[in-house]
């Protein structure tokens, strides 16, 4: 408790000293002709930057905006540069202020005021970057609570004392200890590198998925391999920049190995199963599959741990990759292969059943989704039922009968209309009730 009170007192005294120093500097600027001339140059630099930014913003935006729908690397780079256009005003003001600073130092031998203005423009650039440009939640959080405070301290000339104070504040963590400055640098450097890694991974994934000559499974496997490589390099870069020896991670690796042997074996099994699925290509994104456990849907995503199925009603089912290896899986799509369906129906016993196959086959073949290969529609006699003669027509289609494809419904409509047009009756159940004995009538 005494240590905390002492630290608060030292911090309060340091803030008071810095405030008094800033006040003294401000009073000196107000009474100095050189300072007023620098204020004037600062305003001129800002006005020139404002005029230049207004003239350059529209042509720059037009130059950096690609045509709608273009997704080539150059177009994506132009879109990426375009989001930084709001920084044009503060950066131009920073450049023009730097030119004014060199002029004042050559004339008066001093440029403290205009140097302060230059730092303020840099603070404004950081503020615009966080508020208007960054959309990643992690980077926005780091910008709001790290970048903007650091830029403000730099603008006020308090960055070096604050960094020295943070470097002196050591946080003990068991046998390890680190300063607050080290933790802050680790967050900033790690966040920036991993954000850049994720952006690079997104760009490379889009590029790989556009390579239609590759098998879908190979595309997914390549995307996963590139993702692991990018984030592995990012991790090594963070460790190297922060000066953390990789040999110190050997104990951590041993702990992870023990964890894999006990609690994480399912995760390891699912990861290896996912790699096998991608290598074999027996089920990939876009396939409609049905598992032995009853799960059925279209594969919309394959991750390192699980496969995501989307059902007809829009629900997502997360299925562990191991289930695709250890259980029976029915793949209805298999990347564009045709599927056979069967539509049963019945006709009356008064019908000349020799006419039925030709009528039904011609009607079903007229459907635009029914294929002639591998087999055309085939109407077969299946049996003699209680109410009528049972038939079934087999037909092949490209895809599956789902929400957007109504193959079975369309074929049943065609069968109904064809039978009606040819005067063939579709029977309904008849029941004959026999009564034994006499029926007595009671008179009132």
């Amino acid at each position: 408790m005494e240590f905390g009170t002492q630290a608060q007192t030292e911090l309060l005294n340091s803030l008071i000293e810095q405030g008094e120093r800033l006040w003294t500097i401000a009073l000196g600027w107000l009474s100095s002709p050189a300072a007023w001339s620098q204020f004037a140059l600062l305003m001129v630099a800002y006005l020139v930057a404002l005029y230049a930014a207004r003239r350059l913003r529209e042509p720059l935006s037009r130059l950096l905006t690609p045509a709608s729908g273009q997704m080539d690397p150059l177009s994506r780079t132009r879109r990426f540069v375009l989001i930084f256009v709001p920084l044009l005003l503060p950066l131009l003001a920073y450049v023009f202020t730097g030119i004014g600073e060199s002029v004042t130092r050559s004339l008066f031998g001093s440029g403290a005021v205009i140097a302060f203005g230059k730092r303020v423009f840099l603070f404004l650039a950081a503020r615009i970057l966080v508020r208007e440009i960054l959309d990643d939640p992690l980077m926005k959080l780091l910008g709001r609570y790290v970048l903007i405070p650091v830029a403000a301290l730099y603008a006020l000339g308090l960055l070096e004392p604050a960094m020295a104070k943070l470097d002196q504040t050591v946080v003990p963590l068991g046998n390890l200890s680190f300063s607050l400055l080290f933790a802050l640098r680790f967050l900033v450097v790690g966040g920036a590198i991993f954000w850049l890694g994720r952006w690079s991974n997104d760009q490379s994934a889009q590029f790989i998925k556009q390579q239609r000559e590759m098998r879908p499974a190979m595309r997914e496997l390549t995307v996963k391999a590139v993702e692991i490589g990018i984030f592995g390099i990012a991790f090594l870069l963070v460790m190297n920049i922060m000066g953390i020896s990789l040999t110190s991670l050997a104990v951590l690796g041993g702990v992870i190995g023990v964890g894999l042997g006990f609690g994480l074996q399912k995760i390891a099994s699912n990861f290896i199963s996912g790699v096998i699925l991608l290598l074999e290509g027996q089920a990939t994104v876009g396939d409609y599959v049905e598992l032995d456990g009853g799960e059925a849907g279209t594969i919309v995503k394959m991750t390192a741990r699980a496969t995501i199925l989307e059902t007809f009603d829009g629900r997502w089912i997360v299925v562990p990759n191991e289930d695709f290896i250890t259980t029976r899986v029915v793949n209805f799509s298999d990347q564009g292969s045709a599927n056979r369906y069967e539509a049963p129906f019945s006709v009356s016993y008064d019908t000349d059943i020799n006419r039925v196959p030709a009528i039904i086959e011609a009607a079903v073949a007229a459907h635009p989704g029914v294929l002639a290969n591998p087999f055309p529609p085939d109407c077969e006699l299946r049996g003699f039922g209680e109410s009528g003669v049972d038939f079934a027509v087999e037909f092949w289609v490209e895809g599956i009968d789902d929400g957007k494809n109504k193959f079975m419904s369309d074929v049943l409509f065609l069968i109904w209309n064809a039978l009606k047009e040819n005067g063939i009756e579709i029977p309904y159940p008849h029941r004959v009730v026999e009564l034994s004995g006499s029926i007595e009538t009671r008179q009132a």
Side-chain angles (χ1 to χ4, degrees):
M1 183 66 68
E2 294 179 358
F3 175 77
T5 305
Q6 183 180 359
Q8 291 177 1
T9 304
E10 291 179 358
L11 179 61
L12 181 60
N13 292 334
S14 176
L15 290 175
I16 292 173
E17 292 177 1
Q18 294 297 334
E20 292 176 350
R21 184 177 68 86
L22 291 175
W23 178 251
T24 303
I25 293 174
L27 290 177
W29 285 354
L30 291 174
S31 59
S32 171
W36 284 104
S37 64
Q38 293 178 51
F39 275 123
L41 282 174
L42 193 61
M43 291 301 299
V44 170
Y46 175 75
L47 292 175
V48 172
L50 183 62
Y51 175 77
R54 287 181 176 177
R55 295 297 299 270
L56 292 175
R57 180 183 291 269
E58 184 177 350
L60 270 179
S61 300
R62 190 165 55 249
L63 177 65
L64 295 174
T65 303
S68 178
Q70 288 187 354
M71 296 302 296
D72 55 281
L74 180 59
S75 298
R76 288 199 295 267
T77 304
R78 290 166 64 187
R79 289 190 182 94
F80 179 74
V81 177
L82 180 64
I83 65 176
F84 294 98
V85 170
L87 293 176
L88 189 61
L89 174 58
L91 292 182
L92 285 176
Y94 180 84
V95 172
F96 293 151
T97 306
I99 297 173
E101 181 185 6
S102 63
V103 173
T104 55
R105 290 191 184 278
S106 63
L107 294 177
F108 302 102
S110 172
V113 175
I114 202 166
F116 170 74
K118 186 171 68 171
R119 295 196 298 269
V120 169
F121 289 134
L122 199 60
F123 166 75
L124 294 177
R127 191 166 174 267
I128 293 173
L129 176 67
V130 173
R131 289 195 170 188
E132 300 183 18
I133 296 176
L134 295 179
D135 55 359
D136 182 80
L138 175 61
M139 296 303 295
K140 207 171 188 66
L141 185 67
L142 289 175
R144 184 178 301 161
Y145 294 105
V146 178
L147 180 60
I148 290 181
V150 167
L153 290 173
Y154 176 71
L156 296 174
L158 300 177
L159 184 59
E160 290 186 5
M163 291 180 65
K165 187 64 179 178
L166 290 174
D167 196 24
Q168 293 171 3
T169 306
V170 178
V171 178
L173 186 64
N175 296 328
L176 301 176
S177 61
F178 56 89
S179 66
L180 289 179
L181 181 61
F182 175 84
L184 188 62
R185 285 177 175 172
F186 184 82
L187 286 175
V188 173
V189 172
I193 290 180
F194 277 96
W195 175 82
L196 183 61
R198 191 169 70 174
W199 180 81
S200 303
N201 178 66
D202 292 341
Q203 301 303 313
S204 60
Q206 290 181 7
F207 176 76
I208 293 171
K209 289 179 179 180
Q210 291 174 356
Q211 309 306 310
R212 297 302 176 186
E213 64 274 7
M214 298 174 63
R215 290 192 303 113
M218 185 57 63
R219 288 201 299 266
E220 292 294 326
L221 181 61
T222 306
V223 167
K224 295 301 177 186
V226 171
E227 180 180 2
I228 293 173
I230 288 176
F231 284 104
I233 293 173
F235 175 76
L236 294 177
L237 280 176
V238 171
M239 295 296 105
N240 189 31
I241 292 174
M242 300 309 299
I244 300 176
S245 176
L246 295 178
T247 57
S248 62
L249 300 177
V251 177
L252 179 61
V255 172
I256 294 176
V258 174
L260 288 175
F262 290 97
L264 303 179
Q265 55 182 346
K266 279 290 184 182
I267 296 178
S269 174
N270 286 319
F271 177 79
I272 296 173
S273 299
V275 174
I276 294 174
L277 280 174
L278 292 174
L279 285 174
E280 291 183 348
Q282 295 180 355
T284 186
V285 174
D287 288 353
Y288 183 86
V289 297
E290 181 178 342
L291 276 70
D292 213 13
E295 301 89 352
T298 303
I299 299 177
V300 295
K301 188 177 182 181
M302 300 181 73
T303 66
R305 187 191 66 84
T307 298
I308 313 298
L309 306 183
E310 184 176 13
T311 62
F312 291 149
D313 52 5
R315 299 179 182 179
W316 280 20
I317 304 175
V318 181
V319 181
N321 290 328
E322 185 181 12
D323 291 358
F324 282 84
I325 303 298
T326 59
T327 61
R328 183 180 64 91
V329 179
V330 179
N331 192 337
F332 289 89
S333 299
D334 194 20
Q335 289 307 305
S337 63
N339 293 292
R340 193 194 72 169
Y341 287 91
E342 181 179 293
F345 64 96
S346 299
V347 298
S348 171
Y349 274 106
D350 297 331
T351 305
D352 181 4
I353 61 174
N354 296 297
R355 300 171 50 212
V356 172
I359 294 172
I360 299 302
E361 289 172 1
V364 175
H367 190 283
V370 174
L371 304 176
N373 292 311
F375 299 102
D378 180 25
C379 184
E380 299 177 353
L381 175 64
R382 291 298 173 85
F384 302 98
E386 294 182 358
S387 303
V389 182
D390 297 331
F391 284 88
V393 58
E394 299 173 352
F395 59 95
W396 289 78
V397 292
E398 191 76 38
I400 57 175
D401 188 42
D402 53 11
K404 60 182 179 181
N405 297 320
K406 301 179 177 61
F407 297 126
M408 184 63 71
S409 175
D410 294 343
V411 167
L412 289 175
F413 269 109
L414 292 172
I415 293 173
W416 173 275
N417 294 330
L419 294 178
K420 288 295 183 181
E421 290 173 1
N422 288 273
I424 299 176
E425 180 183 353
I426 299 176
Y428 54 88
H430 292 77
R431 295 291 182 267
V432 177
V433 179
E434 296 182 0
L435 300 177
S436 61
S438 60
I439 300 177
E440 296 180 357
T441 58
R442 179 179 297 179
Q443 296 181 353

